[in-house]
Amino acid sequence: MTPVTISAAGSGAADGTPNGGAFVGDTARSIAEAARAGEGAARTAGVTVRTVHDVAGIRAVADFFADVWQTSRASPPYPSEVLRSLAHAGGAVHAAYSAVPSGERLVGAAVAVFGPPAERDVYSFVAAATASGRGVGFAVKQAQRLWALERGATTMRWTFDPLVSRNARFNLVKLGAVGSEYLVDFYGPMSDGVNNGDESDRLTVVWDLVTGTTRRDDSADGRAAADVVRRAPDGSPLALSDADRLWCRVPEDIVALRAADPALALDWRHAVREVFSDAYAEGLRATAMSRDGWYLLTRPSLDLPTAGVGAGTTVTTSTEGTSEIPCGSACEEQQ
């Protein structure tokens, strides 16, 4: 299959652009860079990404989300009428398609809406991608980034399950977002096929759309010399600390653990919750995730995105969004 690129032209800043479409200086450069990044990501993944407006296309996206979250298509987690209403209200439904002999196959999707303050911040309501590892999720996020920048936004937020290490690495390292807020049992009980039987703690992340910077430093640097401050349910170290950094481990595969041993999975949930709650109360924020499942929490610096970060700040979130979580496919939390 010959890879195709993102339909960047179709996402342009049309009606409703806060600054009327007049982009100058850094804003124009950021949009041009985002367009190049989106085209490259889509080419690498072998997909085309475009906004979806028609009823049939949006219904296909709703069915796709139902398959990802293992629910009946008759009762999808994000009904098509809700997705269409969000798009009509000024949000966007993005979908990624790969070429197949019969035409196209939907392999990824995301939904974004504007949040307060509407002229600067976008909330990624939901995103998911199949064929994890091919870069489909990254291509979808880049399409969202371009769409948001064209409309004057500078940051994007979403939530994800902090125990899903693959999502954490995607969000914090691949995208360069920062964990701005830890939310305890955010949704209450969930009944989909992925989250059943667990409590719904979530980590809100903030993504700086202007820079869109991937982390390049080694988050494990200094970890081996750090002190053990908490033990995990399996008896091994859970949290390590030095003078100004904290590392916290999560299970290798929380989805598989939840299916095999729900009680142990819940023990991990409570243990990690305690570490994060204490760390966030002390001003630390999740800024990276290692390949072997360790978060790095540090104090925010001036070069990190700050929307929603800091004591006393209220972060408004909607339903589950994603960036890439495993369930055979990769579901953003936003989910």
Side-chain angles (χ1 to χ4, degrees):
M1 179 186 73
T2 301
V4 290
T5 59
I6 184 173
S7 302
S11 65
D15 297 340
T17 304
N19 59 9
F23 300 110
V24 295
D26 291 344
T27 303
R29 285 191 290 273
S30 295
I31 291 171
E33 188 279 324
R36 289 192 295 271
E39 290 168 358
R43 186 178 302 111
T44 297
V47 298
T48 182
V49 186
R50 56 180 181 266
T51 54
V52 181
H53 304 280
D54 63 292
V55 172
I58 287 179
R59 182 169 296 279
V61 169
D63 288 345
F64 175 75
F65 287 145
D67 294 345
V68 167
W69 273 276
Q70 301 172 25
T71 67
S72 165
R73 288 189 173 187
S75 301
Y78 308 101
S80 59
E81 58 269 27
V82 173
L83 298 183
R84 186 158 171 79
S85 294
L86 289 172
H88 186 249
V93 178
H94 284 91
Y97 304 90
S98 63
V100 295
S102 59
E104 292 182 325
R105 182 170 67 94
L106 201 162
V107 294
V111 182
V113 297
F114 276 86
E119 69 274 14
R120 292 191 293 107
D121 189 58
V122 165
Y123 186 79
S124 183
F125 180 78
V126 59
T130 60
S132 179
R134 285 183 46 208
V136 176
F138 186 66
V140 171
K141 295 305 291 183
Q142 291 298 328
Q144 283 188 309
R145 177 189 174 205
L146 176 60
W147 172 85
L149 281 169
E150 288 175 330
R151 285 154 180 80
T154 57
T155 57
M156 181 179 292
R157 295 171 295 130
W158 60 91
T159 66
F160 74 98
D161 184 344
L163 295 190
V164 181
S165 61
R166 183 171 65 179
N167 271 13
R169 184 166 176 81
F170 179 86
N171 293 331
L172 302 179
V173 178
K174 183 71 172 178
L175 298 179
V178 172
S180 64
E181 184 183 36
Y182 191 86
L183 304 161
V184 175
D185 204 17
F186 185 56
Y187 300 110
M190 301 180 72
S191 58
D192 61 77
V194 175
N195 297 287
N196 265 344
D198 198 0
E199 296 176 5
S200 56
D201 288 19
R202 294 296 180 262
L203 189 64
T204 302
V205 293
V206 179
W207 187 23
D208 183 344
L209 298 174
V210 177
T211 61
T213 304
T214 296
R215 284 191 64 114
R216 302 293 184 187
D217 56 318
D218 182 5
S219 62
D221 183 35
R223 193 178 78 199
D227 297 325
V228 177
V229 292
R230 294 181 191 266
R231 292 279 174 181
D234 62 5
S236 299
L238 172 68
L240 308 171
S241 178
D242 64 13
D244 51 14
R245 294 175 295 178
L246 180 74
W247 290 265
C248 181
R249 184 167 63 96
V250 296
E252 181 178 356
D253 187 341
I254 186 59
V255 176
L257 179 60
R258 189 159 47 215
D261 191 338
L264 181 57
L266 192 58
D267 286 343
W268 271 98
R269 172 76 63 199
H270 293 161
V272 172
R273 175 191 296 172
E274 186 174 352
V275 172
F276 267 75
S277 296
D278 289 350
Y280 270 61
E282 295 172 4
L284 296 173
R285 298 292 181 264
T287 54
M289 164 61 75
S290 67
R291 292 187 182 278
D292 59 347
W294 287 85
Y295 276 98
L296 171 65
L297 293 90
T298 60
R299 298 191 183 278
S301 59
L302 294 177
D303 61 337
L304 294 176
T306 57
V309 177
T313 299
T314 299
V315 178
T316 304
T317 52
S318 60
T319 65
E320 198 96 323
T322 174
S323 349
E324 289 205 37
I325 75 178
C327 32
S329 32
C331 332
E332 176 176 32
E333 254 207 62
Q334 276 127 256
Q335 205 166 73

